[in-house]
Each structure stands twice: as structure tokens, then as C-alpha cells.
Amino acid sequence: MRTQKIQYNIVTPNNFLQSYKKDNEKIDSQRNTHMSNPNFKAFDNYQAMLNKANISFKGYYGDQQPAKKLFWNLTGRNDVYEDNWTNEHLYQVGFKKWVNASPNDLLKRTPEQAMQSILTLVKPPYQYPGIPPCIYSPSYGDKWGRHANYIEINPRAIAKYENGQVSEGLFQVMKLLPAIPPSPRSFANCILLSQVFPSTYGDGYMDGNGLYTANLHTGISRNLTSPGLYCKMGEDEQVKAFNDLAHLMGFKTGARMPLSAGQLQVQGRGFDWWKDERAYIDACKNLVELGFDAIYFDSAKHVVDYNGYCGVGALPDFCQMQRITEAIRRETGRSDIAFIGEKCNDEYAYKEMGMTAGTHWGQADDFGSVLWESRKQKSNRDYAGGPEVSNDNDYGNIWYEQRLNRIANCLFGYDHIADKLPTYMQINDILPLSNYTNTHEQMERVKEMRGSDAWTECERHWDGIFNTDWPAQNYRNDVYHLFEHVMFR
């Protein structure tokens, strides 16, 4: 077991330590053997409080290890306790585990509890939970994106709302991860964040503009990061820690990137595709360096087909898009990066453009249509256009039965599992949003939902954002059953 590299002594009260030694004849060198001892927990929590207040994380063997650093800064300790709440809400299929709980209950848990929940789910049998020294993205081969389920989550919509400010979106997404079915054996579930870079106006505030903008090379959005970690963890480390925890759960991760010049800025100035192509490539490379495995390109269809374009400003041309995707793969050394194109169909041009998957191709309501597209595109192992359960324009007017039917068709619409099409959905296809909001509204602006049983501003929002009535809970159970039946195909 690796321990923290301590560079100076930590002072603990002698009388507390003497009392502790009287209750225990000796302190075992492996502290985890005493995890169930209440005296030990009292001592450990007291020491953690001192650590958290007086010293900062110094790294492990010269390696910062973001997930460990995050846990240290949240708790002041290295030891991870098993989360009993997680075990009480366990949904298990073979060795795959997740929790079955109301999303508003998950959002009200602390970041420490969320981390311990994830680590409890992924720990080996008959062992205590812990954070591995090295965390890698789950391996599904270089072509994993051709078959993946992409699940988009809007961090700002579930972030912490306080005094008109929006923050800690990454923590809130992290709290929901245990309730999302992990990747099946044969294909990956990929968590897509709708925002990583700051929006062009009002970032970090409730009156900020929509998530269809990005101010490149100005750091990470304040909607995502935690003010309590400033001067303790860099914003890039917070993103890396999130990706590490998602990878531990068995997910791939990705981020949305606009392509319309009018929706982009570079350090606060206007964006021009002929001048700023290099800046765009570097921003995408930065996403990969932060640990993301996929990039979703908003409006990618219109690089080839300009009909129906609703964005603002110019798009890159076909050759530029080829250069962008090729440069990202070459310069990051990641041949497994998945590029998803919004509304891209089965035309060969999108493969030539460097895309891995297209969305909204094939009728998700019709099993025969999904099966037909699977058969038609199965010879292309590099790219496929796939169906959608819903997208960011979902206005919440789809019946639960229709959503379930779409998910079932997307998960089972093929002759052989190797021919599965990529699928796109929103978090509300798994955890339904409240009847009083919808995905498009949440993407366009921040809307605070008001619940009735909460004590704080953010808790009122969390009570209101998701639907927790019995039909919604039954729907969530039905979604879990669908994923259960595909888990080991």
C-alpha cells in the first residue's frame, strides 16, 4: 500500500493518542484492519481534521495523482472507508455494480461520500476500497467510439447554486456517476460533458449565457470547478480527477465543442477559422490531455451539408476539418480518440473528415430501421451514423414508454453485437428531468428549480431538477433492466 510522502511531522495531541493506545494494545501497521473500530475512526477523523487545516497535499513519489489529491483535500486523509449507503442501494449484474437511488438524494451527498461510493463499487472482492496509484481509461480498442453509447450531461444544470453563482458542476456529475449503468462487456458507455471551457459571457453566474459558446484558452469553466479547492488544486487537476473516477467506474468520457465561429472566442476576442485554426486544435488537444476520450462536434453535419444550418458564423471547410481531427490524433499520440459529429449520417464524407460516429441516423422508434442501418453499415469498422434516444433539443415531451422503446431498439438493434451502432442520449433518458424543465432549456440558460423540502438554495434546485415521482422511479428501474440484459453480451 503506497502512503503519502510526508515532508514534515504532523502533531497530534498526546493525551488523545495515549487514550487510544489504552483501548488498543497496539496499532497495526496496516490501518485498514481497524476500519470498523469506532475508536480508530474517531482518532483518524480527528487527525484528518488537523491535516486538512494545517498542511497541503505533497504528492505521491513525485506524482500528483489527481484523484488521490482530490480525496486528500476533501478529507485530510488517505484511507477510504467503505460506503454503507452504497451497499444498501446496490444494483448488481455479475461483477458490474451501480446504485439505484433517486438523483436528488445523490446530488445532496457530499463529494467525499460520492468518491467513497465510486470506490466501494469498483473495489475488488474482500478488500477495502482504495484509490489505485495509476488509473487508465478502460480499454475497448482503438475503434471503441464506433459502437459506444454516448450519454450527455449538463454540469451547469445540476451544479451548486448559491448567491447567484454556479459552481462545483464536476462534483455534481461525480455524484450521479454511481447511478449510471457502467459499460457493458462489448461496448463502452461514454459520459459527455456539455461544457468544459468557459462560456463567452457570465461564466460561473446564473445570468450567464448558454452552453453553445466557448472561450478558448481561458482555463476551465467556473461552472465546473470548486472555489473551496482554489490554491489547493488546479482547475486542470479537478478535471483530471473527475476523468480518473469516471474511468474507474468503467466509463469513457468526452466533451462538447462548438464549430460555429460566432459561438467561439480565443481569450475573449472574436474567432476566425482562417486565423485561429491552430488555437482550436490546441484547445481540443488540451481536452485530450485532461483525460477525455472523445470530442462531440456541434454542427459537424453542416461542414458537408450546409442546408438547415442554424449556428452563428462560419464553419470550418471540409479540408480544415480533416486537418483538425488528424492533428489531434497525431499530436496527442491517441489513435483511440472518438470524434462524434452532430447529425452526421452514413455518408462516406464524414469518415473522410475524421469522424468516428454520427448522431440521429436511423429511426430509433423503429426496431427494423435500426437493424437495417446496422446491417447496411457493418462493413465500415471506422465510422457509423447511429440513432438517438434524445438530443439537446429534447423538450421533455416524449412519453416514458417511447423512451424505453428507443433505448431497447438502440441496445438490441443488430444481428451480432460487433455490428452495434453508436447511440446518443441525454442523462434525462436514464434519470428523468422534472416536468417543469427540459434539456434544451437547461442548455440555453440556467433555470433554478424550486423544491419544497430543502434548506438551502442549491438543495431547492436539486429537489426540483429531476422527477422523483413513482412513474419516474419505475421508468428508471425499467432502464436498468434493459442495460442489465445487454451487460454481458
Side-chain angles (χ1 to χ4, degrees), residues 186-398:
S186 299
F187 55 86
N189 287 342
C190 179
I191 304 299
L192 280 175
L193 300 186
S194 61
Q195 179 184 31
V196 174
F197 299 132
S199 50
T200 56
Y201 168 75
D203 187 73
Y205 291 90
M206 287 183 62
D207 59 352
N209 62 359
L211 301 185
Y212 298 104
T213 65
N215 192 0
L216 308 180
H217 301 290
T218 53
I220 305 301
S221 171
R222 292 297 179 96
N223 295 332
L224 274 67
T225 55
S226 171
L229 292 176
Y230 295 161
C231 300
K232 296 180 180 180
M233 284 189 75
E235 55 187 15
D236 59 332
E237 291 179 307
Q238 295 180 48
V239 178
K240 289 177 181 178
F242 167 81
N243 280 324
D244 277 353
L245 292 166
H247 290 156
L248 267 180
M249 279 284 294
F251 298 116
K252 293 287 191 178
T253 59
R256 172 186 283 260
M257 278 288 282
L259 282 175
S260 303
Q263 295 168 225
L264 294 166
Q265 291 184 353
V266 179
Q267 296 180 340
R269 64 168 176 80
F271 185 92
D272 185 295
W273 271 112
W274 296 108
K275 296 178 182 178
D276 298 313
E277 179 183 318
R278 184 71 245 177
Y280 191 87
I281 292 172
D282 288 341
C284 291
K285 285 171 54 183
N286 182 224
L287 291 175
V288 178
E289 290 160 0
L290 290 171
F292 291 104
D293 307 290
I295 299 175
Y296 173 87
F297 292 111
D298 196 334
S299 298
K301 167 191 175 180
H302 301 294
V303 174
V304 173
D305 179 6
Y306 210 76
N307 291 326
Y309 174 58
C310 298
V312 181
L315 294 170
D317 63 31
F318 183 83
C319 293
Q320 280 183 304
M321 203 66 214
Q322 283 183 315
R323 288 197 299 270
I324 290 168
T325 56
E326 192 276 333
I328 296 168
R329 288 189 172 110
R330 184 186 71 252
E331 295 177 22
T332 60
R334 290 279 304 272
S335 59
D336 64 326
I337 294 297
F339 296 129
I340 306 98
E342 183 190 27
K343 306 291 186 184
C344 292
N345 57 27
D346 64 344
E347 290 184 40
Y348 190 74
Y350 294 114
K351 174 184 178 298
E352 289 294 290
M353 202 165 70
M355 295 294 110
T356 307
T359 68
H360 198 56
W361 187 245
Q363 299 299 317
D365 288 310
D366 183 355
F367 179 84
S369 173
V370 178
L371 178 61
W372 169 257
E373 289 298 332
S374 171
R375 291 170 175 171
K376 187 173 66 170
Q377 299 185 64
K378 68 179 182 179
S379 61
N380 189 343
R381 294 303 182 186
D382 296 318
Y383 170 84
E388 289 180 344
V389 180
S390 70
N391 57 36
D392 55 301
N393 292 312
D394 178 16
Y395 285 96
N397 56 354
I398 305 174

Side-chain angles (χ1 to χ4, degrees), residues 11-23 43 46 50:
V11 178
T12 56
N14 289 331
N15 57 345
F16 191 100
L17 186 57
Q18 289 171 2
S19 173
Y20 173 73
K21 286 182 177 179
K22 288 180 182 178
D23 293 334
F43 169 76
Y46 184 82
L50 295 177

